[in-house]
Amino acid sequence: DQQVKQNSPSLSVQEGRISILNCDYTNSMFDYFLWYKKYPAEGPTFLISISSIKDKNEDGRFTVFLNKSAKHLSLHIVPSQPGDSAVYFCAASAYYGGATNKLIFGTGTLLAIQP
Amino acid sequence: DAGVIQSPRHEVTEMGQEVTLRCKPISGHDYLFWYRQTMMRGLELLIYFNNNVPIDDSGMPEDRFSAKMPNASFSTLKIQPSEPRDSAVYFCASSPGVGQPQHFGDGTRLSIL
């Protein structure tokens, strides 16, 4: 039972263009969402988060959008840079409503930025 | 600032042997997490601690797996006896509190022959 789904295993984007990574979830109890980035042989690194009371959060080149009715979130990276090439994981938790610190991760999307 | 430190980075051992993975969380972080990453199941939570107390161990696959946190700066994940299907990358993470992002170590790549 995959509660957090990233349906695109990979994505290729030209340098300077926008990268859009998508994530869907099924559990309506989730109220906190995060994106992590992972390079080979390293641990995931936190990028950006959003709580369910917001529909958008922005940090520099990274913006996360949350559509609660569709149970969908997306990460926009603009402009895309070669260093953005990595695997991106979406994660979700019922932090506030469920009083848990447990994160459920998606399977990841490999983003390749082409020069 | 030192991040989450895991050791060893790589471990290769034979089936049936005991394996111990170690983790030092970021100082001041009250939560510690153990994850396993495999091709089949992705990144899955095994267990997490709050102030050295196990809170949720529902992800621990079976009794062969055990985790301890004897103090705020050290945790172990033990597999005894190990099996080839335990081969995976094991990550440790810590966070300062609920609703705070988790910070990951670089993982231990475990291979059971």
Side-chain angles (χ1 to χ4, degrees), chain A residues 2 32 34 36 38 41-46 49 87 89 94-96 99-107, chain B residues 9 31 33 35 37 41-43 45 48 56 58-59 91 95 97-107:
Chain A
Q2 195 73 24
Y32 187 64
L34 306 90
Y36 281 81
K38 185 183 181 304
E42 294 184 9
T45 302
F46 169 71
S49 63
V87 177
F89 291 96
Y95 276 152
Y96 305 110
T100 176
N101 222 6
K102 183 173 181 174
L103 283 182
I104 307 298
F105 280 82
T107 50
Chain B
R9 288 298 312 275
Y31 286 84
F33 307 81
Y35 289 88
Q37 185 181 28
R41 300 178 64 89
L43 193 60
L45 178 68
Y48 80 89
D56 185 339
S58 58
F91 289 103
S95 78
V98 177
Q100 300 295 313
Q102 298 174 21
H103 300 261
F104 284 74
D106 285 336

mmCIF file of all heavy atoms in Angstrom, chain A residues 2 32 34 36 38 41-46 49 87 89 94-96 99-107, chain B residues 9 31 33 35 37 41-43 45 48 56 58-59 91 95 97-107:
data_model
loop_
_atom_site.group_PDB
_atom_site.id
_atom_site.type_symbol
_atom_site.label_atom_id
_atom_site.label_comp_id
_atom_site.label_asym_id
_atom_site.label_seq_id
_atom_site.Cartn_x
_atom_site.Cartn_y
_atom_site.Cartn_z
ATOM 1 N N GLN A 2 1.041 1.830 -1.189
ATOM 2 C CA GLN A 2 1.930 2.960 -1.351
ATOM 3 C C GLN A 2 1.144 4.230 -1.047
ATOM 4 O O GLN A 2 0.336 4.663 -1.859
ATOM 5 C CB GLN A 2 2.476 2.965 -2.790
ATOM 6 C CG GLN A 2 3.660 3.853 -3.015
ATOM 7 C CD GLN A 2 4.943 3.309 -2.396
ATOM 8 O OE1 GLN A 2 5.081 2.121 -2.180
ATOM 9 N NE2 GLN A 2 5.868 4.188 -2.115
ATOM 10 N N TYR A 32 1.661 17.414 6.603
ATOM 11 C CA TYR A 32 2.968 18.041 6.496
ATOM 12 C C TYR A 32 3.738 17.295 5.429
ATOM 13 O O TYR A 32 3.794 16.062 5.442
ATOM 14 C CB TYR A 32 3.683 17.972 7.848
ATOM 15 C CG TYR A 32 4.988 18.729 7.933
ATOM 16 C CD1 TYR A 32 5.015 20.102 7.797
ATOM 17 C CD2 TYR A 32 6.186 18.069 8.173
ATOM 18 C CE1 TYR A 32 6.203 20.802 7.889
ATOM 19 C CE2 TYR A 32 7.376 18.757 8.266
ATOM 20 C CZ TYR A 32 7.384 20.136 8.125
ATOM 21 O OH TYR A 32 8.551 20.825 8.207
ATOM 22 N N LEU A 34 7.258 17.187 2.700
ATOM 23 C CA LEU A 34 8.640 17.621 2.534
ATOM 24 C C LEU A 34 9.189 17.087 1.211
ATOM 25 O O LEU A 34 8.746 16.056 0.708
ATOM 26 C CB LEU A 34 9.524 17.088 3.668
ATOM 27 C CG LEU A 34 9.093 17.364 5.102
ATOM 28 C CD1 LEU A 34 8.185 16.249 5.631
ATOM 29 C CD2 LEU A 34 10.314 17.498 6.009
ATOM 30 N N TYR A 36 13.006 16.030 -0.394
ATOM 31 C CA TYR A 36 14.412 15.766 -0.133
ATOM 32 C C TYR A 36 15.104 15.512 -1.460
ATOM 33 O O TYR A 36 14.513 15.001 -2.418
ATOM 34 C CB TYR A 36 14.576 14.533 0.758
ATOM 35 C CG TYR A 36 14.325 14.762 2.228
ATOM 36 C CD1 TYR A 36 13.029 14.783 2.750
ATOM 37 C CD2 TYR A 36 15.385 14.951 3.108
ATOM 38 C CE1 TYR A 36 12.807 14.993 4.095
ATOM 39 C CE2 TYR A 36 15.172 15.154 4.463
ATOM 40 C CZ TYR A 36 13.882 15.167 4.941
ATOM 41 O OH TYR A 36 13.669 15.376 6.280
ATOM 42 N N LYS A 38 18.679 13.736 -3.148
ATOM 43 C CA LYS A 38 19.702 12.751 -2.790
ATOM 44 C C LYS A 38 20.683 12.558 -3.935
ATOM 45 O O LYS A 38 20.289 12.225 -5.061
ATOM 46 C CB LYS A 38 19.042 11.410 -2.433
ATOM 47 C CG LYS A 38 20.045 10.378 -1.926
ATOM 48 C CD LYS A 38 19.385 9.061 -1.649
ATOM 49 C CE LYS A 38 20.393 8.041 -1.123
ATOM 50 N NZ LYS A 38 21.554 7.843 -2.034
ATOM 51 N N ALA A 41 25.503 7.832 -3.062
ATOM 52 C CA ALA A 41 26.397 7.562 -1.929
ATOM 53 C C ALA A 41 26.303 8.613 -0.819
ATOM 54 O O ALA A 41 27.215 8.718 0.019
ATOM 55 C CB ALA A 41 27.843 7.421 -2.394
ATOM 56 N N GLU A 42 25.227 9.387 -0.819
ATOM 57 C CA GLU A 42 24.993 10.343 0.264
ATOM 58 C C GLU A 42 23.589 10.134 0.814
ATOM 59 O O GLU A 42 22.732 9.508 0.179
ATOM 60 C CB GLU A 42 25.129 11.786 -0.221
ATOM 61 C CG GLU A 42 26.532 12.155 -0.660
ATOM 62 C CD GLU A 42 26.632 13.627 -1.032
ATOM 63 O OE1 GLU A 42 25.661 14.383 -0.779
ATOM 64 O OE2 GLU A 42 27.673 14.015 -1.587
ATOM 65 N N GLY A 43 23.347 10.681 2.003
ATOM 66 C CA GLY A 43 21.999 10.626 2.541
ATOM 67 C C GLY A 43 21.113 11.691 1.927
ATOM 68 O O GLY A 43 21.600 12.664 1.356
ATOM 69 N N PRO A 44 19.780 11.525 2.027
ATOM 70 C CA PRO A 44 18.867 12.567 1.549
ATOM 71 C C PRO A 44 19.107 13.882 2.297
ATOM 72 O O PRO A 44 19.396 13.885 3.494
ATOM 73 C CB PRO A 44 17.482 11.998 1.876
ATOM 74 C CG PRO A 44 17.689 10.515 1.998
ATOM 75 C CD PRO A 44 19.065 10.352 2.560
ATOM 76 N N THR A 45 18.953 14.975 1.565
ATOM 77 C CA THR A 45 19.115 16.319 2.131
ATOM 78 C C THR A 45 17.793 17.066 2.027
ATOM 79 O O THR A 45 17.191 17.108 0.948
ATOM 80 C CB THR A 45 20.199 17.101 1.360
ATOM 81 O OG1 THR A 45 21.422 16.379 1.417
ATOM 82 C CG2 THR A 45 20.412 18.477 1.960
ATOM 83 N N PHE A 46 17.364 17.648 3.136
ATOM 84 C CA PHE A 46 16.103 18.386 3.149
ATOM 85 C C PHE A 46 16.165 19.596 2.224
ATOM 86 O O PHE A 46 17.144 20.358 2.224
ATOM 87 C CB PHE A 46 15.790 18.840 4.575
ATOM 88 C CG PHE A 46 14.650 19.819 4.665
ATOM 89 C CD1 PHE A 46 13.353 19.406 4.434
ATOM 90 C CD2 PHE A 46 14.891 21.153 4.956
ATOM 91 C CE1 PHE A 46 12.301 20.305 4.507
ATOM 92 C CE2 PHE A 46 13.855 22.059 5.038
ATOM 93 C CZ PHE A 46 12.555 21.637 4.814
ATOM 94 N N SER A 49 9.646 22.356 2.697
ATOM 95 C CA SER A 49 8.473 21.696 3.265
ATOM 96 C C SER A 49 7.256 22.601 3.148
ATOM 97 O O SER A 49 7.368 23.795 2.853
ATOM 98 C CB SER A 49 8.710 21.336 4.726
ATOM 99 O OG SER A 49 8.916 22.506 5.511
ATOM 100 N N VAL A 87 18.305 12.471 -7.246
ATOM 101 C CA VAL A 87 17.005 11.831 -7.011
ATOM 102 C C VAL A 87 16.237 12.684 -6.008
ATOM 103 O O VAL A 87 16.800 13.099 -4.980
ATOM 104 C CB VAL A 87 17.171 10.396 -6.463
ATOM 105 C CG1 VAL A 87 15.800 9.787 -6.150
ATOM 106 C CG2 VAL A 87 17.917 9.532 -7.474
ATOM 107 N N PHE A 89 12.963 12.979 -3.493
ATOM 108 C CA PHE A 89 11.958 12.213 -2.763
ATOM 109 C C PHE A 89 10.936 13.167 -2.169
ATOM 110 O O PHE A 89 11.276 14.186 -1.561
ATOM 111 C CB PHE A 89 12.595 11.430 -1.610
ATOM 112 C CG PHE A 89 13.476 10.290 -2.050
ATOM 113 C CD1 PHE A 89 14.840 10.450 -2.153
ATOM 114 C CD2 PHE A 89 12.921 9.053 -2.336
ATOM 115 C CE1 PHE A 89 15.656 9.392 -2.547
ATOM 116 C CE2 PHE A 89 13.725 7.986 -2.728
ATOM 117 C CZ PHE A 89 15.097 8.164 -2.831
ATOM 118 N N ALA A 94 1.703 12.832 9.275
ATOM 119 C CA ALA A 94 0.548 13.366 10.012
ATOM 120 C C ALA A 94 1.068 14.033 11.282
ATOM 121 O O ALA A 94 0.640 13.719 12.383
ATOM 122 C CB ALA A 94 -0.429 12.233 10.343
ATOM 123 N N TYR A 95 1.991 14.985 11.119
ATOM 124 C CA TYR A 95 2.645 15.625 12.259
ATOM 125 C C TYR A 95 1.642 16.250 13.225
ATOM 126 O O TYR A 95 1.704 16.029 14.424
ATOM 127 C CB TYR A 95 3.555 16.757 11.779
ATOM 128 C CG TYR A 95 4.938 16.364 11.327
ATOM 129 C CD1 TYR A 95 5.597 17.142 10.388
ATOM 130 C CD2 TYR A 95 5.595 15.261 11.830
ATOM 131 C CE1 TYR A 95 6.870 16.818 9.952
ATOM 132 C CE2 TYR A 95 6.867 14.927 11.406
ATOM 133 C CZ TYR A 95 7.498 15.706 10.464
ATOM 134 O OH TYR A 95 8.755 15.389 10.028
ATOM 135 N N TYR A 96 0.751 17.049 12.692
ATOM 136 C CA TYR A 96 -0.096 17.859 13.564
ATOM 137 C C TYR A 96 -1.311 17.072 14.025
ATOM 138 O O TYR A 96 -1.584 16.967 15.212
ATOM 139 C CB TYR A 96 -0.493 19.149 12.831
ATOM 140 C CG TYR A 96 0.712 19.914 12.342
ATOM 141 C CD1 TYR A 96 1.013 20.009 10.980
ATOM 142 C CD2 TYR A 96 1.579 20.519 13.251
ATOM 143 C CE1 TYR A 96 2.136 20.691 10.549
ATOM 144 C CE2 TYR A 96 2.703 21.199 12.818
ATOM 145 C CZ TYR A 96 2.975 21.276 11.455
ATOM 146 O OH TYR A 96 4.090 21.948 11.025
ATOM 147 N N ALA A 99 0.060 13.627 15.573
ATOM 148 C CA ALA A 99 1.094 13.756 16.611
ATOM 149 C C ALA A 99 2.187 12.706 16.432
ATOM 150 O O ALA A 99 2.621 12.067 17.384
ATOM 151 C CB ALA A 99 0.478 13.644 18.012
ATOM 152 N N THR A 100 2.598 12.518 15.202
ATOM 153 C CA THR A 100 3.655 11.556 14.931
ATOM 154 C C THR A 100 4.772 12.236 14.172
ATOM 155 O O THR A 100 4.528 13.184 13.414
ATOM 156 C CB THR A 100 3.127 10.355 14.120
ATOM 157 O OG1 THR A 100 4.239 9.501 13.803
ATOM 158 C CG2 THR A 100 2.502 10.798 12.806
ATOM 159 N N ASN A 101 5.967 11.762 14.359
ATOM 160 C CA ASN A 101 7.111 12.269 13.630
ATOM 161 C C ASN A 101 7.501 11.335 12.495
ATOM 162 O O ASN A 101 8.563 11.467 11.915
ATOM 163 C CB ASN A 101 8.296 12.443 14.576
ATOM 164 C CG ASN A 101 9.049 13.744 14.318
ATOM 165 O OD1 ASN A 101 8.636 14.561 13.516
ATOM 166 N ND2 ASN A 101 10.146 13.920 15.009
ATOM 167 N N LYS A 102 6.621 10.392 12.176
ATOM 168 C CA LYS A 102 6.908 9.369 11.178
ATOM 169 C C LYS A 102 6.717 9.929 9.775
ATOM 170 O O LYS A 102 5.677 10.520 9.468
ATOM 171 C CB LYS A 102 5.954 8.196 11.394
ATOM 172 C CG LYS A 102 6.167 7.013 10.489
ATOM 173 C CD LYS A 102 5.265 5.870 10.928
ATOM 174 C CE LYS A 102 5.448 4.637 10.071
ATOM 175 N NZ LYS A 102 4.672 3.498 10.582
ATOM 176 N N LEU A 103 7.736 9.755 8.921
ATOM 177 C CA LEU A 103 7.665 10.190 7.528
ATOM 178 C C LEU A 103 7.448 8.981 6.624
ATOM 179 O O LEU A 103 8.087 7.946 6.812
ATOM 180 C CB LEU A 103 8.962 10.877 7.097
ATOM 181 C CG LEU A 103 9.232 12.308 7.545
ATOM 182 C CD1 LEU A 103 10.558 12.780 6.956
ATOM 183 C CD2 LEU A 103 8.106 13.231 7.136
ATOM 184 N N ILE A 104 6.552 9.154 5.636
ATOM 185 C CA ILE A 104 6.371 8.157 4.597
ATOM 186 C C ILE A 104 6.942 8.738 3.313
ATOM 187 O O ILE A 104 6.544 9.841 2.891
ATOM 188 C CB ILE A 104 4.888 7.814 4.390
ATOM 189 C CG1 ILE A 104 4.226 7.413 5.709
ATOM 190 C CG2 ILE A 104 4.738 6.706 3.346
ATOM 191 C CD1 ILE A 104 4.797 6.179 6.354
ATOM 192 N N PHE A 105 7.869 8.003 2.697
ATOM 193 C CA PHE A 105 8.555 8.502 1.517
ATOM 194 C C PHE A 105 7.976 7.906 0.233
ATOM 195 O O PHE A 105 7.537 6.752 0.209
ATOM 196 C CB PHE A 105 10.047 8.146 1.574
ATOM 197 C CG PHE A 105 10.854 9.051 2.448
ATOM 198 C CD1 PHE A 105 10.904 8.852 3.819
ATOM 199 C CD2 PHE A 105 11.546 10.120 1.903
ATOM 200 C CE1 PHE A 105 11.653 9.703 4.634
ATOM 201 C CE2 PHE A 105 12.293 10.968 2.707
ATOM 202 C CZ PHE A 105 12.345 10.761 4.075
ATOM 203 N N GLY A 106 8.022 8.703 -0.830
ATOM 204 C CA GLY A 106 7.764 8.191 -2.163
ATOM 205 C C GLY A 106 8.991 7.455 -2.678
ATOM 206 O O GLY A 106 10.027 7.407 -2.009
ATOM 207 N N THR A 107 8.857 6.896 -3.873
ATOM 208 C CA THR A 107 9.928 6.069 -4.428
ATOM 209 C C THR A 107 11.007 6.874 -5.141
ATOM 210 O O THR A 107 12.020 6.317 -5.522
ATOM 211 C CB THR A 107 9.360 5.038 -5.402
ATOM 212 O OG1 THR A 107 8.510 5.718 -6.335
ATOM 213 C CG2 THR A 107 8.545 3.977 -4.666
ATOM 214 N N ARG B 9 30.656 2.744 6.876
ATOM 215 C CA ARG B 9 30.028 3.177 5.619
ATOM 216 C C ARG B 9 29.671 1.978 4.753
ATOM 217 O O ARG B 9 28.694 2.002 4.008
ATOM 218 C CB ARG B 9 30.956 4.110 4.845
ATOM 219 C CG ARG B 9 31.114 5.495 5.435
ATOM 220 C CD ARG B 9 29.802 6.271 5.480
ATOM 221 N NE ARG B 9 29.041 6.257 4.244
ATOM 222 C CZ ARG B 9 29.222 7.092 3.231
ATOM 223 N NH1 ARG B 9 30.155 8.014 3.286
ATOM 224 N NH2 ARG B 9 28.455 7.011 2.144
ATOM 225 N N TYR B 31 15.048 13.554 18.387
ATOM 226 C CA TYR B 31 14.483 12.417 17.664
ATOM 227 C C TYR B 31 15.561 11.738 16.828
ATOM 228 O O TYR B 31 16.376 12.408 16.182
ATOM 229 C CB TYR B 31 13.351 12.869 16.732
ATOM 230 C CG TYR B 31 12.078 13.233 17.455
ATOM 231 C CD1 TYR B 31 11.907 14.501 17.998
ATOM 232 C CD2 TYR B 31 11.051 12.301 17.601
ATOM 233 C CE1 TYR B 31 10.747 14.837 18.670
ATOM 234 C CE2 TYR B 31 9.885 12.628 18.264
ATOM 235 C CZ TYR B 31 9.737 13.898 18.798
ATOM 236 O OH TYR B 31 8.579 14.221 19.458
ATOM 237 N N PHE B 33 16.010 8.407 13.988
ATOM 238 C CA PHE B 33 15.268 7.518 13.100
ATOM 239 C C PHE B 33 16.233 6.550 12.425
ATOM 240 O O PHE B 33 17.343 6.933 12.053
ATOM 241 C CB PHE B 33 14.558 8.320 11.994
ATOM 242 C CG PHE B 33 13.694 9.436 12.506
ATOM 243 C CD1 PHE B 33 14.248 10.655 12.864
ATOM 244 C CD2 PHE B 33 12.321 9.273 12.605
ATOM 245 C CE1 PHE B 33 13.448 11.695 13.340
ATOM 246 C CE2 PHE B 33 11.520 10.302 13.068
ATOM 247 C CZ PHE B 33 12.088 11.516 13.437
ATOM 248 N N TYR B 35 16.233 4.111 8.983
ATOM 249 C CA TYR B 35 15.555 3.785 7.729
ATOM 250 C C TYR B 35 16.351 2.712 6.985
ATOM 251 O O TYR B 35 17.559 2.565 7.168
ATOM 252 C CB TYR B 35 15.484 5.007 6.802
ATOM 253 C CG TYR B 35 14.546 6.097 7.234
ATOM 254 C CD1 TYR B 35 14.966 7.105 8.094
ATOM 255 C CD2 TYR B 35 13.239 6.141 6.752
ATOM 256 C CE1 TYR B 35 14.095 8.124 8.473
ATOM 257 C CE2 TYR B 35 12.366 7.161 7.112
ATOM 258 C CZ TYR B 35 12.808 8.146 7.973
ATOM 259 O OH TYR B 35 11.957 9.149 8.341
ATOM 260 N N GLN B 37 16.804 1.419 2.851
ATOM 261 C CA GLN B 37 16.471 1.694 1.447
ATOM 262 C C GLN B 37 16.817 0.483 0.589
ATOM 263 O O GLN B 37 17.961 0.022 0.579
ATOM 264 C CB GLN B 37 17.221 2.923 0.919
ATOM 265 C CG GLN B 37 16.807 3.302 -0.497
ATOM 266 C CD GLN B 37 17.563 4.492 -1.042
ATOM 267 O OE1 GLN B 37 18.689 4.775 -0.675
ATOM 268 N NE2 GLN B 37 16.909 5.224 -1.937
ATOM 269 N N ARG B 41 11.471 -1.760 -2.050
ATOM 270 C CA ARG B 41 10.579 -1.101 -1.091
ATOM 271 C C ARG B 41 10.886 0.381 -0.892
ATOM 272 O O ARG B 41 10.191 1.069 -0.146
ATOM 273 C CB ARG B 41 10.639 -1.838 0.246
ATOM 274 C CG ARG B 41 10.207 -3.296 0.157
ATOM 275 C CD ARG B 41 10.336 -3.984 1.509
ATOM 276 N NE ARG B 41 9.437 -3.417 2.498
ATOM 277 C CZ ARG B 41 8.184 -3.825 2.700
ATOM 278 N NH1 ARG B 41 7.682 -4.788 1.970
ATOM 279 N NH2 ARG B 41 7.443 -3.263 3.643
ATOM 280 N N GLY B 42 11.952 0.860 -1.547
ATOM 281 C CA GLY B 42 12.287 2.272 -1.395
ATOM 282 C C GLY B 42 12.830 2.570 -0.013
ATOM 283 O O GLY B 42 13.446 1.722 0.631
ATOM 284 N N LEU B 43 12.552 3.785 0.470
ATOM 285 C CA LEU B 43 13.054 4.245 1.766
ATOM 286 C C LEU B 43 11.955 4.036 2.800
ATOM 287 O O LEU B 43 10.909 4.688 2.736
ATOM 288 C CB LEU B 43 13.420 5.718 1.649
ATOM 289 C CG LEU B 43 14.245 6.369 2.742
ATOM 290 C CD1 LEU B 43 15.577 5.677 2.889
ATOM 291 C CD2 LEU B 43 14.438 7.842 2.440
ATOM 292 N N LEU B 45 10.815 3.536 6.993
ATOM 293 C CA LEU B 45 11.175 3.751 8.386
ATOM 294 C C LEU B 45 11.132 2.432 9.147
ATOM 295 O O LEU B 45 10.157 1.695 9.066
ATOM 296 C CB LEU B 45 10.207 4.745 9.023
ATOM 297 C CG LEU B 45 10.421 5.040 10.510
ATOM 298 C CD1 LEU B 45 11.715 5.804 10.720
ATOM 299 C CD2 LEU B 45 9.243 5.831 11.073
ATOM 300 N N TYR B 48 11.764 4.717 15.350
ATOM 301 C CA TYR B 48 12.291 5.993 15.762
ATOM 302 C C TYR B 48 12.189 6.173 17.272
ATOM 303 O O TYR B 48 11.335 5.561 17.931
ATOM 304 C CB TYR B 48 11.684 7.156 14.982
ATOM 305 C CG TYR B 48 10.320 7.658 15.375
ATOM 306 C CD1 TYR B 48 10.163 8.663 16.335
ATOM 307 C CD2 TYR B 48 9.179 7.194 14.730
ATOM 308 C CE1 TYR B 48 8.905 9.167 16.637
ATOM 309 C CE2 TYR B 48 7.929 7.701 15.031
ATOM 310 C CZ TYR B 48 7.797 8.685 15.977
ATOM 311 O OH TYR B 48 6.543 9.199 16.284
ATOM 312 N N ASP B 56 8.070 4.236 17.921
ATOM 313 C CA ASP B 56 7.350 3.471 16.898
ATOM 314 C C ASP B 56 8.331 2.493 16.262
ATOM 315 O O ASP B 56 9.254 2.908 15.581
ATOM 316 C CB ASP B 56 6.761 4.421 15.843
ATOM 317 C CG ASP B 56 5.897 3.708 14.817
ATOM 318 O OD1 ASP B 56 6.026 2.482 14.631
ATOM 319 O OD2 ASP B 56 5.085 4.389 14.161
ATOM 320 N N SER B 58 7.123 -0.179 14.462
ATOM 321 C CA SER B 58 6.256 -0.992 13.616
ATOM 322 C C SER B 58 6.908 -1.366 12.286
ATOM 323 O O SER B 58 6.469 -2.286 11.616
ATOM 324 C CB SER B 58 4.931 -0.266 13.350
ATOM 325 O OG SER B 58 5.156 0.985 12.738
ATOM 326 N N GLY B 59 7.957 -0.654 11.910
ATOM 327 C CA GLY B 59 8.642 -0.963 10.657
ATOM 328 C C GLY B 59 9.755 -1.985 10.790
ATOM 329 O O GLY B 59 10.317 -2.418 9.771
ATOM 330 N N PHE B 91 19.973 4.004 6.680
ATOM 331 C CA PHE B 91 20.198 5.404 7.022
ATOM 332 C C PHE B 91 19.744 5.684 8.445
ATOM 333 O O PHE B 91 18.723 5.150 8.904
ATOM 334 C CB PHE B 91 19.420 6.327 6.082
ATOM 335 C CG PHE B 91 19.948 6.376 4.676
ATOM 336 C CD1 PHE B 91 19.316 5.689 3.649
ATOM 337 C CD2 PHE B 91 21.072 7.137 4.382
ATOM 338 C CE1 PHE B 91 19.801 5.737 2.354
ATOM 339 C CE2 PHE B 91 21.566 7.190 3.088
ATOM 340 C CZ PHE B 91 20.931 6.487 2.078
ATOM 341 N N SER B 95 16.203 14.695 14.186
ATOM 342 C CA SER B 95 15.528 15.976 14.049
ATOM 343 C C SER B 95 15.354 16.604 15.429
ATOM 344 O O SER B 95 15.312 15.899 16.445
ATOM 345 C CB SER B 95 14.176 15.827 13.351
ATOM 346 O OG SER B 95 13.191 15.338 14.222
ATOM 347 N N GLY B 97 12.744 18.207 16.652
ATOM 348 C CA GLY B 97 11.433 18.073 17.253
ATOM 349 C C GLY B 97 10.388 17.711 16.230
ATOM 350 O O GLY B 97 10.672 17.585 15.036
ATOM 351 N N VAL B 98 9.158 17.542 16.700
ATOM 352 C CA VAL B 98 8.055 17.220 15.793
ATOM 353 C C VAL B 98 7.845 18.379 14.829
ATOM 354 O O VAL B 98 7.897 19.540 15.225
ATOM 355 C CB VAL B 98 6.762 16.953 16.581
ATOM 356 C CG1 VAL B 98 5.594 16.698 15.635
ATOM 357 C CG2 VAL B 98 6.948 15.772 17.502
ATOM 358 N N GLY B 99 7.622 18.047 13.580
ATOM 359 C CA GLY B 99 7.403 19.076 12.581
ATOM 360 C C GLY B 99 8.675 19.727 12.090
ATOM 361 O O GLY B 99 8.630 20.696 11.328
ATOM 362 N N GLN B 100 9.795 19.211 12.523
ATOM 363 C CA GLN B 100 11.091 19.721 12.056
ATOM 364 C C GLN B 100 11.702 18.725 11.064
ATOM 365 O O GLN B 100 11.612 17.517 11.279
ATOM 366 C CB GLN B 100 12.047 19.913 13.236
ATOM 367 C CG GLN B 100 11.556 20.897 14.277
ATOM 368 C CD GLN B 100 11.470 22.289 13.726
ATOM 369 O OE1 GLN B 100 12.399 22.764 13.079
ATOM 370 N NE2 GLN B 100 10.343 22.956 13.942
ATOM 371 N N PRO B 101 12.335 19.218 10.007
ATOM 372 C CA PRO B 101 12.911 18.289 9.019
ATOM 373 C C PRO B 101 13.936 17.350 9.650
ATOM 374 O O PRO B 101 14.657 17.712 10.577
ATOM 375 C CB PRO B 101 13.567 19.226 8.017
ATOM 376 C CG PRO B 101 12.863 20.524 8.168
ATOM 377 C CD PRO B 101 12.501 20.620 9.622
ATOM 378 N N GLN B 102 13.995 16.152 9.106
ATOM 379 C CA GLN B 102 14.979 15.175 9.542
ATOM 380 C C GLN B 102 16.262 15.358 8.732
ATOM 381 O O GLN B 102 16.221 15.601 7.535
ATOM 382 C CB GLN B 102 14.429 13.758 9.352
ATOM 383 C CG GLN B 102 13.183 13.497 10.189
ATOM 384 C CD GLN B 102 12.560 12.151 9.907
ATOM 385 O OE1 GLN B 102 13.208 11.239 9.398
ATOM 386 N NE2 GLN B 102 11.291 12.011 10.256
ATOM 387 N N HIS B 103 17.383 15.206 9.423
ATOM 388 C CA HIS B 103 18.692 15.311 8.793
ATOM 389 C C HIS B 103 19.305 13.923 8.751
ATOM 390 O O HIS B 103 19.409 13.265 9.793
ATOM 391 C CB HIS B 103 19.587 16.265 9.592
ATOM 392 C CG HIS B 103 19.025 17.638 9.685
ATOM 393 N ND1 HIS B 103 19.436 18.664 8.857
ATOM 394 C CD2 HIS B 103 18.063 18.165 10.482
ATOM 395 C CE1 HIS B 103 18.759 19.764 9.159
ATOM 396 N NE2 HIS B 103 17.918 19.492 10.136
ATOM 397 N N PHE B 104 19.733 13.513 7.574
ATOM 398 C CA PHE B 104 20.201 12.151 7.358
ATOM 399 C C PHE B 104 21.717 12.037 7.375
ATOM 400 O O PHE B 104 22.427 12.956 6.928
ATOM 401 C CB PHE B 104 19.703 11.635 6.001
ATOM 402 C CG PHE B 104 18.256 11.240 5.982
ATOM 403 C CD1 PHE B 104 17.256 12.204 5.983
ATOM 404 C CD2 PHE B 104 17.883 9.905 5.996
ATOM 405 C CE1 PHE B 104 15.915 11.841 5.974
ATOM 406 C CE2 PHE B 104 16.548 9.531 5.982
ATOM 407 C CZ PHE B 104 15.569 10.505 5.978
ATOM 408 N N GLY B 105 22.185 10.883 7.843
ATOM 409 C CA GLY B 105 23.575 10.507 7.640
ATOM 410 C C GLY B 105 23.771 9.978 6.229
ATOM 411 O O GLY B 105 22.807 9.896 5.452
ATOM 412 N N ASP B 106 25.004 9.614 5.905
ATOM 413 C CA ASP B 106 25.308 9.151 4.560
ATOM 414 C C ASP B 106 25.069 7.658 4.368
ATOM 415 O O ASP B 106 25.293 7.128 3.281
ATOM 416 C CB ASP B 106 26.747 9.502 4.177
ATOM 417 C CG ASP B 106 26.906 10.975 3.861
ATOM 418 O OD1 ASP B 106 25.888 11.611 3.492
ATOM 419 O OD2 ASP B 106 28.024 11.497 3.995
ATOM 420 N N GLY B 107 24.622 6.985 5.405
ATOM 421 C CA GLY B 107 24.189 5.605 5.265
ATOM 422 C C GLY B 107 25.291 4.576 5.429
ATOM 423 O O GLY B 107 26.484 4.874 5.335
#
